[in-house]
Amino acid sequence: MFRSSKNHTAHRNGFRLHQVSLSGATNSWSLVAPLSSRRSPVCLVTDAHYLYSIGGLGDDDFLSAVERYDPKLNTWTQMAPMSEKRGCACGVSLEKKIYVFGGTVDAFSRHASVSCEVYDVTLNEWHSIASMHVPRFHASAVLLRDQIYVFGGIGSESVDRHNSRMVECYDVQKNQWITAHSMPYEETYFRGCPVSMFKDLLHSLNKVTIP
């Protein structure tokens, strides 16, 4: 887990980065090995074996750097960098590949990206994939039945309210995007996860209509 905290006297750029882990056995937190350099906000993805820290904002610029954390050895390893710098991106892991979507290199001017990349864990290589329809950063990516849904986040100034609510679905096999649904409202700094539930429970919930 990554946590940023303010400390203007001890750190030149006014923030520091901690890596901490939670023990299920003792219900306590402890510090683990630090990254090679300070960065925030990164895209964090796990493949059930390792934790990948992807991109982010360093002391002076956005990064394309990728580091992999081994929880058994408590060590970070530099991996192949992305082809583009990006921070505030979202990503998922699927079948020994990591998919990263959107992001920004200028969050203050709301310059969101539509570009996407895939990382081959076995080959340690990045490749570009089809771009999203809607530029976004601070969005959420969720894997469901071998398809990836991206929604929420902050779009560029040119993105209207309808497109900002759009849920896009990436077909891994076809390398193409489809417009799956629309959310009932705009949502930024969004995080989601797939949840299994009984169909009857889903039907009993009140439907939120889009104004």
Side-chain angles (χ1 to χ4, degrees):
M1 178 179 178
F2 292 76
R3 182 188 66 189
S4 296
S5 63
K6 293 290 183 181
N7 188 331
H8 292 285
T9 58
H11 298 273
R12 176 165 55 89
N13 279 8
F15 70 89
R16 58 185 178 179
L17 193 60
H18 300 279
Q19 293 80 46
V20 293
S21 64
L22 173 65
S23 170
T26 63
N27 191 32
S28 62
W29 291 90
S30 59
L31 289 172
V32 298
L35 289 159
S36 64
S37 63
R38 296 177 295 174
R39 64 196 69 176
S40 175
V42 299
C43 173
L44 289 175
V45 179
T46 179
D47 63 357
H49 300 287
Y50 303 101
L51 179 68
Y52 294 83
S53 171
I54 304 169
L57 175 62
D59 285 343
D60 302 309
D61 195 8
F62 282 89
L63 307 171
S64 60
V66 178
E67 294 190 43
R68 185 183 71 186
Y69 178 71
D70 187 331
K72 293 181 179 179
L73 301 178
N74 188 29
T75 57
W76 289 91
T77 303
Q78 295 273 359
M79 311 305 291
M82 294 182 289
S83 60
E84 297 181 28
K85 297 178 181 180
R86 67 180 80 221
C88 313
C90 57
V92 300
S93 173
L94 173 64
E95 296 179 353
K96 296 185 178 180
K97 292 184 179 180
I98 294 174
Y99 296 83
V100 176
F101 310 103
T104 183
V105 292
D106 190 357
F108 294 105
S109 64
R110 288 189 59 178
H111 178 74
S113 175
V114 295
S115 71
C116 309
E117 301 185 50
V118 60
Y119 174 69
D120 190 310
V121 173
T122 303
L123 299 178
N124 189 29
E125 293 179 349
W126 286 91
H127 299 279
S128 297
I129 57 176
S131 296
M132 297 183 293
H133 299 299
V134 178
R136 44 181 116 216
F137 63 96
H138 281 312
S140 182
V142 173
L143 177 65
L144 183 63
R145 299 191 186 96
D146 293 339
Q147 290 185 318
I148 303 169
Y149 293 83
V150 177
F151 48 94
I154 302 173
S156 297
E157 293 286 357
S158 60
V159 177
D160 60 25
R161 291 187 64 191
H162 172 73
N163 284 333
S164 65
R165 298 172 176 177
M166 184 185 299
V167 178
E168 297 187 71
C169 176
Y170 178 68
D171 189 312
V172 175
Q173 300 300 325
K174 297 180 180 179
N175 185 31
Q176 68 181 27
W177 290 90
I178 60 172
T179 302
H181 304 284
S182 288
M183 296 195 300
Y185 48 81
E186 300 170 64
E187 185 63 64
T188 57
Y189 304 100
F190 205 36
R191 294 296 177 264
C193 65
V195 177
S196 298
M197 63 177 63
F198 293 108
K199 187 179 296 185
D200 291 342
L201 174 61
L202 185 63
H203 289 162
S204 68
L205 301 177
N206 293 328
K207 182 178 179 180
V208 178
T209 59
I210 303 174

